[in-house]
Amino acid sequence: MITQLTIKNFGLIESLSIDFAAGLTVLTGETGAGKSILIDGLRFVLGEKMSTSVIRDPKAPCVVQIIMEISAALIQEYPPLEELAADEDSLIINRTLSPDGKSKVRINGMAVTLAQLKALGDHLMDFHGPHDHQQLLASRSHCGILDRLCSMDEDMTRYSRVYERYTQLNRERQQLQELVATRQRDVEMLEHQLKELSAVPLDEDLYNALLEKQTRINNAERLFDAAHQMLEAIEREDTGISEGLKKAFPHARTLNRIDPGTERFTETLAGLQESFAQLASQLRDYCDSLSFEPQEAADINRQCDAYYEIKRKYGPTIGQAADYYARIREKYERIAHAEENTIGLDRQIAQTRDSLKSLSAALTKHRSKAGQLLKKTIEQELKELGIVHVKFDCRIEKNDFTEQGADSVVFYISPNKGEDLKPLADIVSSGEAARLMLALKKALIEVDPIPVLIFDEIDAQIGGRLGTVTGKKLRELSRNRQVIVITHLPQIASFADTHLKVTKKVVNGRTVTHVERLDAGASVRELAQMMSGEHETGIALDHARELVSIAESSTTPPVRRKPH
């Protein structure tokens, strides 16, 4: 529930802070005093877009902050809240809007996006004003409303699992159909690409080895000359390295006879002689390897040219070309066997569709049962709210398979005697819509997880007697969640657990909104003024006390519970 709301530089509000309590909070005050601005502030701090026109002083940003208590049940309903709450049992949501239109949002000090805020706000508060009844009237939302009354989680999980498979199979079939439509053109193109890519092995190591071989072929004469010159330097008669080493051995032996400690020189000399002999042998082998047959040289150059084209078209690396080859090979196989694959997919789709029929029938059964309960509850609630001849029906018709099943749910109503039932959107007035929303909230009271309900102008088109009934319904609703109401009817206001009066006054030449928490006596006087005008009369005061007495005797006292 909301525990505190702070607003600065927003509309008629220069700066104010309001403490809220559990139960039913009623806001009263003359038209234009700023009651709806408070609601706009709550909408703003929970993610609704606002233009910079709401900024009172264009030289400074507007700021709205709320503090809300949260419960474990709410975190379970909306898991992202656990991270946002950061192990706290309350949320501090702060949003600013700068004159340049930039918005900043922080939750418990953590910066979040506007999308994150909006998603969270949808789980924290439910607004019901003149422009919020569209969801109720729109038939696309009726299935979701009805499902809140259904205990069908396990059946829905089973259905969702099969439906996901069903949609995947249909996507694959659509892809196959698209392939078949362009089959001939694609087959020819793929065959050409596969032929190009299979001309040489798509192996990076083989390619690098081939490049080395091509380099030797193209530089064979230079390589042979260089290797031959090295061999000449080692083996040239009289002046070669080997001959020089051979001439050094007698002198080494002389050293050894006179000084035994010089034997290491002889060992080193012998090692050099062996190393140069090995080098000479390797150089001779290398020179022999530089002899290529013309056909072999042509084949190597042809393969290197093929690799170059493959890298240019499908690379730039051999590995990337190999990946591309694997992909188009798979695509070619699918196209080549499209008819066979389509038949197999059709068989799987038919089997999956049969499973969906059975699973969706179970969902329909749940909804039909819940629809009867909803019909009974709504009719009873609306009759108590003054629509005495109302008829309500929850009609379920078969539809194509969707994520929610195969049901199309539409709420029908006839508010007047003798009139046929018609879809809500066709006949419900704004006043009837407000009462219908209240009736729905009463019907969903045990399964609706949203902890705060806000009603703006719920008293539209209803009189005093119905105001008392409406007030009683609102107080009953507030025993399970926090309810905030804007009203002009004293009959509704008399049921308030907390009564806030909104006024406006001129300060330094500008109008400013002020909010005052009323004690019991001030609340009675405000009710009297709402009935008699600016100054309460004795009769109006007596009537106000009577309204409060009736309210207190007709409902149970507030339940001071843990936040929802």
Side-chain angles (χ1 to χ4, degrees):
M1 73 172 195
I2 306 171
T3 59
Q4 188 179 78
L5 168 66
T6 302
I7 303 178
K8 295 180 180 180
N9 199 32
F10 189 92
L12 293 179
I13 299 171
E14 184 174 303
S15 178
L16 66 79
S17 182
I18 308 170
D19 292 327
F20 286 88
L24 176 62
T25 297
V26 172
L27 283 76
T28 62
E30 62 183 85
T31 300
K35 299 184 297 299
S36 292
I37 294 176
L38 296 175
I39 305 303
D40 288 340
L42 288 171
R43 291 180 185 272
F44 171 76
V45 80
L46 291 182
E48 188 164 312
K49 290 183 179 180
M50 297 273 178
S51 72
T52 55
S53 62
V54 302
I55 300 177
R56 179 180 177 85
D57 180 359
K59 297 179 182 179
C62 69
V63 181
V64 181
Q65 177 176 289
I66 57 169
I67 301 176
M68 293 192 68
E69 294 180 0
I70 55 175
S71 65
L74 187 59
I75 293 175
Q76 185 177 3
E77 174 68 25
Y78 186 62
L81 184 56
E82 184 172 9
E83 181 180 353
L84 294 171
D87 298 326
E88 300 289 339
D89 58 3
S90 63
L91 287 179
I92 300 176
I93 305 175
N94 181 290
R95 184 181 177 192
T96 63
L97 179 65
S98 301
D100 61 4
K102 294 181 180 178
S103 178
K104 295 181 180 178
V105 183
R106 290 190 176 276
I107 298 178
N108 284 11
M110 182 192 309
V112 300
T113 65
L114 199 57
Q116 288 175 300
L117 176 64
K118 187 70 173 68
L120 172 63
D122 290 341
H123 290 80
L124 295 180
M125 292 187 205
D126 207 349
F127 292 90
H128 304 290
H131 304 292
D132 295 310
H133 301 314
Q134 295 178 353
Q135 182 181 6
L136 170 63
L137 300 180
S139 58
R140 63 179 177 275
S141 67
H142 294 173
C143 187
I145 293 173
L146 182 62
D147 283 358
R148 294 185 192 178
L149 290 170
C150 299
S151 300
M152 58 179 190
D153 290 348
E154 292 184 5
D155 287 338
M156 179 59 78
T157 299
R158 284 192 288 269
Y159 174 87
S160 297
R161 191 160 46 242
V162 176
Y163 178 76
E164 184 177 352
R165 174 63 177 160
Y166 177 71
T167 55
Q168 176 62 31
L169 289 171
N170 276 289
R171 280 195 297 270
E172 291 179 11
R173 194 183 191 288
Q174 179 64 31
Q175 291 171 356
L176 274 178
Q177 289 176 328
E178 292 172 358
L179 286 174
V180 170
T182 58
R183 177 177 179 178
Q184 189 58 40
R185 182 190 66 198
D186 287 350
V187 164
E188 292 174 358
M189 180 185 70
L190 291 172
E191 285 177 342
H192 173 72
Q193 292 179 337
L194 289 169
K195 184 178 180 181
E196 278 190 315
L197 288 163
S198 59
V200 290
L202 298 178
D203 183 287
E204 198 80 43
D205 292 336
L206 291 177
Y207 170 64
N208 290 330
L210 191 67
L211 281 182
E212 292 176 5
K213 204 168 186 179
Q214 185 190 43
T215 301
R216 291 200 301 274
I217 289 174
N218 294 337
N219 296 276
E221 188 174 344
R222 291 176 62 193
L223 294 171
F224 181 86
D225 183 62
H228 184 70
Q229 291 296 327
M230 288 178 64
L231 191 59
E232 279 288 307
I234 296 171
E235 296 186 326
R236 188 181 297 118
E237 190 175 351
D238 296 333
T239 60
I241 295 173
S242 294
E243 187 63 24
L245 290 172
K246 191 183 300 181
K247 292 177 179 180
F249 270 99
H251 302 295
R253 285 192 286 272
T254 299
L255 288 172
N256 296 160
R257 285 194 299 270
I258 299 171
D259 183 359
T262 61
E263 288 184 359
R264 65 183 185 278
F265 299 151
T266 305
E267 292 172 359
T268 301
L269 192 63
L272 287 172
Q273 190 179 44
E274 183 179 353
S275 295
F276 277 106
Q278 290 178 354
L279 177 59
S281 176
Q282 291 169 356
L283 285 169
R284 282 191 294 271
D285 291 342
Y286 180 73
C287 287
D288 292 341
S289 72
L290 293 174
S291 177
F292 296 97
E293 292 293 331
Q295 184 59 47
E296 181 185 5
D299 288 344
I300 289 173
N301 282 321
R302 179 187 57 76
Q303 290 182 64
C304 285
D305 289 342
Y307 274 117
Y308 173 79
E309 285 298 310
I310 286 172
K311 289 176 65 180
R312 185 180 66 83
K313 292 182 179 179
Y314 310 109
T317 67
I318 296 299
Q320 289 172 323
D323 291 341
Y324 183 76
Y325 176 81
R327 290 198 303 273
I328 65 171
R329 183 73 192 176
E330 181 184 354
K331 185 176 181 180
Y332 178 79
E333 292 296 329
R334 289 204 313 270
I335 295 175
H337 303 91
E339 286 85 356
E340 298 174 23
N341 293 337
T342 299
I343 293 172
L345 276 175
D346 286 342
R347 188 181 304 113
Q348 293 182 66
I349 289 171
Q351 293 171 349
T352 308
R353 192 175 182 86
D354 288 340
S355 298
L356 285 178
K357 286 180 181 178
S358 174
L359 293 170
S360 65
L363 301 182
T364 303
K365 186 176 180 180
H366 285 293
R367 288 174 178 141
S368 296
K369 183 178 179 181
Q372 291 300 313
L373 175 63
L374 185 62
K375 167 185 168 65
K376 181 179 179 181
T377 304
I378 292 295
E379 286 183 348
Q380 179 62 35
E381 292 290 335
L382 289 178
K383 285 176 182 178
E384 293 178 8
L385 288 168
I387 310 178
V388 294
H389 299 295
V390 67
K391 291 182 180 178
F392 181 86
D393 195 16
C394 179
R395 296 187 179 177
I396 302 173
E397 299 175 356
K398 283 299 174 186
N399 200 356
D400 291 335
F401 294 118
T402 69
E403 292 179 351
Q404 300 301 317
D407 297 326
S408 173
V409 178
V410 181
F411 294 158
Y412 279 71
I413 193 170
S414 170
N416 302 307
K417 189 174 184 178
E419 297 293 329
D420 293 335
L421 288 158
K422 294 181 181 179
L424 294 187
D426 292 350
I427 58 173
V428 171
S429 66
S430 61
E432 289 167 339
R435 281 178 278 176
L436 181 56
M437 182 61 75
L438 180 56
L440 266 177
K441 287 299 175 183
K442 283 294 300 296
L444 301 173
I445 195 168
E446 297 298 333
V447 293
D448 191 344
I450 297 178
V452 181
L453 303 180
I454 298 175
F455 292 91
D456 187 2
E457 296 186 20
I458 195 173
D459 50 16
Q461 301 181 20
I462 65 175
R465 185 184 65 82
L466 291 179
T468 300
V469 177
T470 303
K472 181 180 179 181
K473 299 286 184 186
L474 288 167
R475 180 175 275 187
E476 291 172 355
L477 197 59
S478 73
R479 295 306 170 253
N480 296 82
R481 60 208 6 91
Q482 187 181 41
V483 178
I484 300 172
V485 179
I486 291 178
T487 185
H488 295 282
L489 279 181
Q491 289 83 358
I492 292 179
S494 66
F495 283 86
D497 298 314
T498 302
H499 190 167
L500 302 177
K501 182 178 181 179
V502 182
T503 57
K504 62 181 179 180
K505 57 184 178 180
V506 177
V507 179
N508 296 326
R510 294 201 65 182
T511 302
V512 177
T513 290
H514 176 72
V515 179
E516 178 187 3
R517 179 187 293 270
L518 303 181
D519 59 22
S523 178
V524 168
R525 290 193 295 274
E526 170 66 5
L527 296 179
Q529 287 182 13
M530 292 171 71
M531 288 183 283
S532 61
E534 184 176 353
H535 301 288
E536 67 271 12
T537 65
I539 295 175
L541 284 169
D542 289 341
H543 192 189
R545 295 187 187 96
E546 184 180 0
L547 285 178
V548 173
S549 177
I550 292 172
E552 291 176 349
S553 63
S554 62
T555 59
T556 57
V559 176
R560 301 305 176 190
R561 53 180 180 75
K562 294 181 179 179
H564 191 280

